[in-house]
Amino acid sequence: QLLDRRSMSRRIRKAYLDFFAGKGHSVIAGASLVPDNDPTVLFTTAGMHPLVPYLMGEAHPAGKRLCDAQLCVRTQDIDEVGDNTHLTCFEMMGNWSLGDYFKKGAIEMSFEFLTKVLGIPLEKFAVTCFEGDSDAPRDNESADIWHSLGVPRERIGFLPKAKNWWGPAGKTGPCGPDTEMFYWVGPSELPPAGSNPATDDPNWMEIWNDVFMQYNKKEDGTFEPLAQQNVDTGMGLERVAAVLQKVSNVYETDSLKKILAKVLELRKSTDALKDIEVKAARIMTDHLKAATFMIADGVKPSNVDQGYVLRRLIRRAIRSARQLGLNAEQGLCSFVSSEVIATYASAYPKLRQKEDEIRATLDTEEQQFSKALHEGQKQFDKLTEPLQKGQIIDGQSVFHLYDTYGFPVELTKEMATERELKIDEAGFAAAFEAHQKLSRAGAEKRFAGGLADTSDETTKLHTATHLLNQALRTVLGDHVFQKGSNITAERLRFDFSHPDKMTPEQIKKAEELVNEAIKADAPVSYSVMTVDEAKAQGAIGVFGDKYGEKVKVYTMGTFSKEICGGPHVARTGMLGSFKIQKEESSSSGVRRIKAIVSGGPAKIEVAGEKN
Ligand code: SER
C-alpha cells in the first residue's frame, strides 16, 4: 500500500508519525520556517532547531518522546539545486528523546521503521559510526547494536568528527556523535563485498541521521556532558521517497514531480528538454516551493534577512523560466505555487489559509522583477553601444548586470551573441567568486553566535516582549497580534499587526504600562495545558493546529497570559526598566518596535512551573 506512488510522500510521512506515536512519542507541530527568538539563523534548518531549549534540559510540555515533520530551508547549497539530490527546501522527519531512550532504543526504532515498515532490503543498507577522537570515544556501542540487529560488519563504517558528529548548529550548544544510515545507489544492483559509506562515499545516499546529543560545546571550544542524554534524529523525506520509488533524483518523486509537471505545462515547445532546461525547470520547482512555504510563514520579499532570500529565490525562478522560453508573464510563479499548495496543504493547512497572500506576494514580486529585467536590458544596451563586433564585455560589467539587475550570466551571453559580442567569462567568474567569499563570510559570522541563545539578557528581553505584547493590545486594541519576534542580547524586536504609525502618546503609554508591570514585580510561571484549555483561559499567542496538543502558558501576575516555550525570568522586577527605542513600519499593516531593558539585577532566576 505504501508503494502506491501517487501519494507516497504523504504515506511515508504518516507512517513515520504513526510508528513513533505507537512507540510513545507525542506528535508535535512542526515550527515556523522563521525561527522565533533566534537571531543567529535565518531559517529553521533542522527539526532540532526549535527544540534547543529542551535539549539543554528544559521540560517539554508534550513529554520526553517527541516526533514531527519539519519543513526546512537550507540556502548554503543554492548553487547546487538542479542536480539530483540538492534542494533548498525539504522535509525532515524527526524523533527525539529528551533524556529518555538512548543509543539502543534509537537505533532499534530506526532499523525497525526502515526494514519492517518501509521494507528497505538489508542488502542495500549500510551505516556509519563515529570513529572517536580526544573529545569523545569511538562509538563501538552503536556499531554493536547495528550488528546485533543483522547489519554485517563490512557494512558498518567508522568516520571522524567531520562526518559523524552533528552540531552544534551554531558556535555553542548541544551536539554529539551520530550514526548515519545509507542506501545503495551505485551502478550495480547490489553493493560489492566490503563496500560501505566510509570506503565508497558517492554510491551510498544518506537517508537518516541519529544524533546522540550528550555534549554541550562551550564558547572555548571544549565539550561538557549535558545534564541529560538526548537523541535527535532527522530523516530526509524526499530522499527516502526517491529510494522507495526507485528513481535516481528527487524531482521524480511523487510530490516534486507534480510541481515540475506544472512548470512544464507552461512550456509551449514539445521538443525534448536540453540539460540547461532540465536544470531550469528543477530550479523553478524547488525555489517556488520554498517561496510558497516562506510566504505562508510570514516572510515578505525585501532586501534584508529572510526577505532577501525569498526575493532571490523568486527572481531565480523567474530567470529560470526565461531559460525555459517562458516570459516572466503575470502570474507565472503563482501558477506553479498553486500546485505546491495543492500538493502539501493536507500536511500543512497553513498553505490553504494563506493562499491569497501567497498569490498576491508572488504576483507583485514578479511584476517588479519584470521591471528590473527591463532596466537591465537598458543598461546592457548602454554598455554595448560603443562596442564593435567581436569585442568583449568585461567581467565586472557582466557581474554588475548579474548582481544589480539579476541577469544570469547565460542571459548576458545570449544577448551578447545576438550582437556578435563576447563576454569575459573568466573575469565574471573572478568577480562572482570574490562576492561569494564575502557573502559566505557574512553568513558564517551570522551563524557563529550560537543557537537559540538562552542567556540572561535574551531571557529578560523575551519576558519584556510578552509585557509589550499585552501593553500594545491594551493601548491599541485587540487587533494587535504578534507577527514576528527577534531577540538579540542587546534588544528586542517585535512585529505586530496594526495599520497606522503609533502616535508619540501611544508609544509613551505602552512603555509606561510595561514599566508598571515591571515595578509590580509580579511572579512569572507556566502551566502545561491543551490548546483548547489555553484558548478558554484567554491566553494569547500562536496556537498549534494539532488537536489535543499540549502547550506551555506563561502567566505574568495578572498582566499577561501567553502561549510560549520560554524561558522567562521568575519575576517581572528582574527586567529593571523598559524603553522603546524605535517604532517603524515593518511591512504593510505590520508595525515594528525595537526596545531595550536595563538596570535589572546581574543574576536572574528562571520562571518555573506553577505548583
Ligand atoms: N540534526 C540532525 C541533522 O540535521 C538530525 O536531525 O541531520
Side-chain angles (χ1 to χ4, degrees), residues 45-49 74 90 92-96 166-167 178 180 206 208-211 213 232-235:
T45 65
M48 55 78 74
H49 266 180
R74 289 187 184 177
F90 63 96
M92 188 184 280
M93 306 303 303
N95 58 285
W96 291 273
W166 204 88
D178 67 46
E180 302 182 9
E206 187 196 335
W208 199 347
N209 185 7
D210 285 1
V211 188
M213 293 201 153
D232 154 43
T233 95
M235 186 185 94

Side-chain angles (χ1 to χ4, degrees), residues 35-50:
D36 227 6
N37 299 325
D38 185 349
T40 62
V41 284
L42 288 179
F43 294 103
T44 300
T45 65
M48 55 78 74
H49 266 180

